[in-house]
Amino acid sequence: MKTATKKGFVVVLAAALLVVSYPGMAFAETAPAVKKVLENTKAYLDDLVTAKDDNTSNDLSLKIETFKQVLDLSSAETKDLEFKLLTTEKDERFETWKKTALDGLAHVLAYYDSERDLLSDPNSVTAEDITTIAKHFKEWRESEYFPLVSKVQDFVLIKQEEKAIQTAEKRLEKVNENLASLGISSNNKSISKYLSKAKSLIDSASELNGEAADLFISRYIATSTEEMAFSTSTPTSTSTSSSSDVNANATSTPPLTSVKDLVRLSLDAVKGAYQSFIDVSGLVRKLLMR
């Protein structure tokens, strides 16, 4: 094979191996933005709940505007979760739960609108009223909203990881095809070692993500409709007490490995498979440049 041709094949192989971005990047890109929204919302709420009232019109206006920002940030966060749920591929195992979750998010958005209505007439509320409203809103987020968010995030992670695994499987097939086109046997001792490692890691990733899906189903789907129900009414002392009792019962037994932990392990395995692809690429370069 001519040197120029060899170099050309090396470039083609490298492109085939590495053109697909590492799947884990998808998680890293969205996490900071979501985290920032949560931090801002919490900061604004904390300011409202802890601020002292000075009974001036300026204080009232500032509190109203701050709470509006809380609602805007919360709406953006909820709509993002709603979009992610709507754009996941259909999976019969999760469809009933997904519909329940989407209904819950729709009620959440309606709840935000009702909270905005409370602020529509500044003359109908006082600075102390806003503080009370903000306190109830914060309690509602912690006792009612965050559990739903956690479930939706777990579900989205599982479905994202499924796609990452499928991409890695296709990448492995493509690597083998390109090796054949270059006349390099996948049985080559060094190359075979990395290909076997990649396949083993991909299989392990699939198994771990399957365990995450099974855990999700056992925790959140294999329950009664009442247990899955999500209340979006303005929080009261009764509902808060009920949620606390449920949480207390849920934490009374030793915690199992979380869905997020299993998906993280699965993602690490996919990352290891991509490293094997890179190692194969390096070996092929050496073989072709001889």
Side-chain angles (χ1 to χ4, degrees):
M1 184 183 291
K2 294 181 180 179
T3 302
T5 305
K6 285 184 179 180
K7 289 181 179 179
F9 273 126
V10 171
V11 172
V12 170
L13 180 64
L17 289 172
L18 306 175
V19 69
V20 177
S21 299
Y22 168 59
M25 293 173 63
F27 299 106
E29 289 170 356
T30 56
V34 173
K35 184 178 179 182
K36 188 65 176 177
V37 170
L38 288 170
E39 288 175 350
N40 287 342
T41 304
K42 183 179 183 303
Y44 287 138
L45 273 173
D46 287 344
D47 287 345
L48 281 171
V49 171
T50 59
K52 293 182 179 180
D53 300 328
D54 60 15
N55 296 317
T56 66
S57 59
N58 286 339
D59 182 55
L60 175 60
S61 297
L62 178 60
K63 287 195 171 188
I64 288 176
E65 288 306 310
T66 301
F67 192 54
K68 283 182 178 178
Q69 289 184 60
V70 167
L71 293 173
D72 288 344
L73 287 169
S74 299
S75 293
E77 174 194 23
T78 303
K79 287 177 181 177
D80 178 66
L81 292 172
E82 188 178 48
F83 175 78
K84 287 176 178 175
L85 275 182
L86 287 169
T87 53
T88 57
E89 293 183 1
K90 187 173 182 179
D91 186 331
E92 290 300 334
R93 297 175 300 168
F94 300 99
E95 290 309 302
T96 299
W97 174 86
K98 191 164 78 169
K99 183 181 183 303
T100 301
L102 285 169
D103 288 344
L105 293 176
H107 285 301
V108 168
L109 292 171
Y111 176 51
Y112 295 155
D113 288 339
S114 70
E115 292 293 276
R116 286 190 184 89
D117 290 342
L118 296 175
L119 312 177
S120 59
D121 182 7
N123 295 321
S124 66
V125 293
T126 65
E128 185 178 356
D129 290 335
I130 299 298
T131 299
T132 301
I133 292 170
K135 181 180 179 181
H136 288 171
F137 186 84
K138 182 178 180 181
E139 291 171 351
W140 169 83
R141 278 176 64 84
E142 292 173 353
S143 65
E144 302 288 345
Y145 180 61
F146 285 161
L148 177 62
V149 170
S150 179
K151 294 172 188 176
V152 173
Q153 288 176 336
D154 281 355
F155 172 74
V156 170
L157 284 174
I158 290 169
K159 303 309 288 184
Q160 285 180 331
E161 180 62 3
E162 275 185 13
K163 288 188 175 181
I165 292 167
Q166 290 168 5
T167 300
E169 289 171 340
K170 291 177 181 177
R171 185 60 24 204
L172 180 58
E173 291 176 6
K174 193 66 177 177
V175 168
N176 281 307
E177 289 173 6
N178 278 278
L179 287 172
S181 69
L182 292 170
I184 299 175
S185 173
S186 58
N187 291 325
N188 176 288
K189 187 175 181 180
S190 298
I191 290 177
S192 177
K193 178 182 71 173
Y194 288 115
L195 292 178
S196 295
K197 182 179 179 181
K199 186 179 186 311
S200 177
L201 286 167
I202 293 170
D203 289 344
S204 177
S206 181
E207 183 177 341
L208 286 164
N209 202 52
E211 289 178 16
D214 290 342
L215 181 58
F216 184 95
I217 291 170
S218 67
R219 283 185 172 177
Y220 307 135
I221 297 179
T223 56
S224 68
T225 303
E226 289 183 0
E227 289 172 328
M228 290 173 62
F230 177 71
S231 171
T232 56
S233 59
T234 303
T236 63
S237 58
T238 301
S239 64
T240 301
S241 175
S242 175
S243 297
S244 298
D245 291 342
V246 171
N247 290 335
N249 291 335
T251 57
S252 62
T253 56
L256 299 172
T257 302
S258 72
V259 170
K260 288 183 177 63
D261 286 340
L262 288 167
V263 174
R264 195 185 315 279
L265 290 172
S266 176
L267 190 58
D268 286 343
V270 172
K271 186 191 300 184
Y274 272 75
Q275 181 58 54
S276 290
F277 297 156
I278 294 171
D279 292 334
V280 169
S281 178
L283 287 172
V284 170
R285 285 193 182 94
K286 292 178 181 177
L287 287 173
L288 294 178
M289 296 305 289
R290 287 177 182 173

